[in-house]
Amino acid sequence: MVGTQERSQEDSRPVRRAPPPMAAARIVERRDLTEDLWIIRLEPSVERFAFKPGQYCTIGAEGIERPYSIVSAPEEPLIELFVELVPPPEGQLTPILHRMGVGAEVSLRPKPKGIFTLDRTAKTHVFVSTVTGVAPTVSILRHAIMTGETADKQFHVLDGGSYQDELAYSDELRALAERHDFIRFTPTVSRPNDPRNAGWMGATGRVNTLVEDYLRDNDLDPETTLVYACGHPGMIEDVKQRMVHIGYLVKEERFWKD
């Protein structure tokens, strides 16, 4: 039996405990953004799925499980996920999820995991993300605003994609930045001349190449600033290499192919 081990007070023999039972979650909302990107909201079968903003949940279907960072804040009743289709044979779960509509059920591991959470020792938080990597950032910001956990904090969000329609939360993040002076938002596209980016008026270039200039232009002190990088492993590695030379610490969350 798989489980954790405890030691009894009566003897030293290990006492095995069964893992908690698997939960389920029903898709109650779905919004397709592009052919390979969509947002779903899940209603869990458990009374309350408790997690920290920035953590991920593990869902599954047809015997395949994968972790997905949670977009929603812990205070919200539904679990919101931002999913990218990875075609087979490399992708295994996302092709199944892509076929699922409202009313379909997935399995849900009862406990969230992950340490890509807000570090309260820092005053300034700079989030760097690509496409679905923005998920934990949105969760952290929603929670901070809902709970008022914003005193003496500054949040800077740099979100990148190849195309503007991949920046799923740009409207929400832009609105938050307009309403709250402790939030700044910079979206960027790496293919500004592509027809899909017609009318784009924002920053251009890969998001990892913008971080150094952004930190310098905003005079962000490395002693009180933490850089969070979430998304494609190549982006994260590049950000880390750039930051090590100028004295900033980086917290990372890698998104691997399905």
Side-chain angles (χ1 to χ4, degrees):
M1 179 183 296
V2 178
T4 58
Q5 290 189 349
E6 291 185 349
R7 289 198 177 275
S8 166
Q9 293 182 351
E10 286 76 25
D11 58 47
S12 60
R13 291 174 297 177
V15 177
R16 292 186 178 274
R17 297 182 62 184
M22 184 74 74
R26 184 169 60 92
I27 300 174
V28 295
E29 295 179 36
R30 172 170 172 156
R31 180 162 64 95
D32 289 84
L33 306 170
T34 68
E35 291 182 355
D36 57 1
L37 291 170
W38 70 102
I39 294 170
I40 55 175
R41 290 187 175 91
L42 305 174
E43 182 178 51
S45 60
V46 293
E47 183 175 347
R48 183 171 182 268
F49 184 77
F51 63 94
K52 297 177 182 179
Q55 289 191 308
Y56 61 85
C57 63
T58 301
I59 64 172
E62 300 182 16
I64 302 170
E65 293 183 322
R66 293 290 185 271
Y68 293 93
S69 286
I70 303 171
V71 180
S72 45
E75 294 75 20
E76 299 179 70
L78 302 178
I79 300 172
E80 184 174 338
L81 305 178
F82 182 18
V83 187
E84 180 178 8
L85 174 65
V86 181
E90 190 173 13
Q92 297 183 44
L93 181 57
T94 56
I96 299 172
L97 296 177
H98 195 252
R99 297 193 296 267
M100 290 182 166
V102 172
E105 281 198 351
V106 296
S107 63
L108 173 67
R109 289 280 175 182
K111 290 187 177 182
K113 293 184 179 180
I115 58 173
F116 194 75
T117 53
L118 194 69
D119 188 325
R120 290 169 176 80
T121 63
K123 177 181 178 181
T124 304
H125 307 269
V126 179
F127 298 93
V128 185
S129 58
T130 52
V131 194
T132 55
V134 76
T137 299
V138 176
S139 179
I140 290 170
L141 288 178
R142 287 182 183 177
H143 172 75
I145 293 170
M146 289 178 181
T147 61
E149 191 182 348
T150 57
D152 299 322
K153 291 185 176 65
Q154 289 289 325
F155 300 94
H156 300 256
V157 181
L158 286 72
D159 187 29
S162 297
Y163 311 103
Q164 58 184 317
D165 53 15
E166 295 178 332
L167 306 179
Y169 292 89
S170 59
D171 288 345
E172 177 179 346
L173 291 167
R174 190 175 292 109
L176 290 178
E178 291 173 353
R179 290 198 300 267
H180 305 284
D181 58 7
F182 53 84
I183 297 175
R184 293 187 182 181
F185 174 53
T186 303
T188 182
V189 297
S190 61
R191 301 180 182 179
N193 297 322
D194 190 280
R196 280 174 65 176
N197 289 321
W200 178 255
M201 301 296 290
T204 60
R206 294 184 182 276
V207 68
N208 45 291
T209 67
L210 306 183
V211 183
E212 286 178 274
D213 288 344
Y214 184 92
L215 295 172
R216 184 188 63 251
D217 293 346
N218 288 276
D219 196 24
L220 300 184
D221 184 357
E223 294 297 322
T224 58
T225 300
L226 181 62
V227 177
Y228 302 73
C230 184
H232 191 279
M235 178 275 288
I236 294 173
E237 282 303 314
D238 188 59
V239 169
K240 288 169 60 178
Q241 290 178 16
R242 293 170 184 271
M243 294 302 98
V244 72
H245 297 298
I246 53 178
Y248 290 86
L249 295 178
V250 178
K251 192 171 186 177
E252 65 180 84
E253 180 91 321
R254 294 169 182 257
F255 280 15
W256 298 98
K257 294 283 188 181
D258 180 0

